[in-house]
Amino acid sequence: ASHHRLWSEIDNVVKQQVAWARLGVGESGTGWQLFAEDGEMRMYRREEEVDGMVVDPLKAVHIVKGITGHEVCHYFFSPQYRYDWETTLEQMTVLETISEDTCLFLQTHKRIWPASQRDVIFWSHLRHLPNDQDRDGPDIWTVVNHSTEHKDYPANAGKCVRIYLTVCMLCQTRVNPPKDGAPISRDDISCKITYCSVVNPGGWAPASVLRAVYKREYPKFLKRFTAYVTNQTKDKSIMF
Ligand SMILES: CCCCCc1ccc(-c2ccc(S(=O)(=O)CCO)cc2)cc1CCc1ccccn1
């Protein structure tokens, strides 16, 4: 693809995020704390503060039957579906479509009492990392969202506090080919999702409020989003 102005930053951040996402949460001694569980979904966080602000890294692992990593990343990346699954979204603007797999978003999220309302500007990049180079390597689809600036939308100029985030949705598709050589159906596929996020909430917000918001909102978000993809794809041919 023709390289654009953000290309080198995107390439570096994507490589770093893929490596980070592929690190397991290790044994319990590695500081990852399981804080939510639902069926195959496990959500972990590390309690970290920067200048007294909560910036807890989050890592979720989920296995969803009947969908592929390409489908998960397609519905996560594409702006036209976002209002269907992102419940805390108040306003989303595509500031720039940089290429067919790279967009610039401005989002304002609904105010969560008692904190002030937040907004965020980030580039979003969809990438397929095929496993052709190393035979048994995993075939990965990923979307990385990473905060950036935009000259027309300076931080904290209006009513919203600007937040800063890096998010990685990393997916690996598993196929159990049917014994009798029949064509692969949705019963023969599943997707292992690793969702990582680090959010700097910008202006000060009480640690207890932030941790309560994340504890409530992140499990809800991942469950709702994956259910949305399942529902959107169930009667469609498989997008590998
Ligand atoms: C006092 C509240 C402070 C901040 C709240 C906050 C922070 C970050 C975000 C958020 C989380 C995920 C993404 S994304 O994965 O890129 C998907 C595209 O939308 C972008 C933004 C949202 C919200 C608002 C509350 C909240 C917390 C988690 C999950 C959902 N909502």
Side-chain angles (χ1 to χ4, degrees):
S2 66
H3 288 180
H4 45 73
R5 72 180 195 286
L6 286 171
W7 178 257
S8 59
E9 177 183 321
I10 288 173
D11 209 36
N12 292 332
V13 173
V14 167
K15 287 191 168 96
Q16 169 207 80
Q17 286 299 305
V18 166
W20 170 252
R22 291 180 67 187
L23 291 178
V25 285
E27 310 68 44
S28 54
T30 56
W32 287 104
Q33 190 191 87
L34 178 67
F35 75 90
E37 223 173 329
D38 185 290
E40 290 298 313
M41 182 184 78
R42 295 198 178 17
M43 211 160 249
Y44 303 83
R45 73 172 172 208
R46 300 167 68 91
E47 299 211 351
E48 289 180 15
E49 302 195 4
V50 170
D51 303 335
M53 276 195 308
V54 165
V55 291
D56 300 357
L58 179 132
K59 186 176 275 198
V61 182
H62 196 5
I63 297 174
V64 185
K65 293 188 187 336
I67 56 178
T68 65
H70 188 181
E71 290 167 338
V72 169
C73 289
H74 170 71
Y75 287 99
F76 187 70
F77 172 78
S78 307
Q80 67 264 32
Y81 310 111
R82 196 155 300 174
Y83 285 109
D84 296 345
W85 54 263
E86 181 65 289
T87 53
T88 64
L89 195 58
E90 181 173 278
Q91 173 80 29
M92 173 197 71
T93 309
V94 178
L95 298 177
E96 208 177 326
T97 300
I98 295 171
S99 65
E100 87 280 354
D101 57 14
T102 308
C103 288
L104 206 56
F105 289 99
L106 164 64
Q107 296 191 167
T108 55
H109 286 258
K110 291 171 185 154
R111 180 167 181 260
I112 295 172
W113 185 86
S116 1
Q117 187 168 28
R118 260 67 184 176
D119 68 7
V120 57
I121 294 179
F122 58 88
W123 52 255
S124 184
H125 179 69
L126 167 68
R127 185 174 295 188
H128 179 209
L129 299 162
N131 68 344
D132 46 17
Q133 63 273 31
D134 54 345
R135 274 298 312 125
D136 59 352
D139 180 273
I140 288 172
W141 279 89
T142 188
V143 174
V144 176
N145 296 341
H146 182 74
S147 297
T148 189
E149 318 278 331
H150 191 284
K151 59 185 174 4
D152 302 346
Y153 299 91
N156 309 314
K159 63 182 162 56
C160 289
V161 171
R162 179 65 50 86
I163 67 171
Y164 301 88
L165 58 75
T166 302
V167 161
C168 178
M169 179 73 82
L170 185 131
C171 301
Q172 291 171 276
T173 306
R174 293 173 176 163
V175 180
N176 297 313
K179 309 280 171 293
D180 51 4
I184 294 171
S185 79
R186 289 196 180 274
D187 296 338
D188 309 318
I189 61 172
S190 65
C191 180
K192 182 184 176 192
I193 297 172
T194 303
Y195 174 86
C196 302
S197 88
V198 178
V199 176
N200 179 325
W204 187 80
S208 55
V209 166
L210 275 168
R211 288 189 169 126
V213 167
Y214 296 155
K215 190 173 170 72
R216 184 185 69 233
E217 295 297 338
Y218 272 116
K220 195 165 81 177
F221 144 72
L222 197 54
K223 272 187 71 177
R224 179 182 170 94
F225 171 68
T226 51
Y228 176 78
V229 177
T230 298
N231 195 42
Q232 288 293 312
T233 55
K234 66 182 189 306
D235 302 325
K236 295 189 177 83
S237 59
I238 301 171
M239 199 199 297
F240 284 104

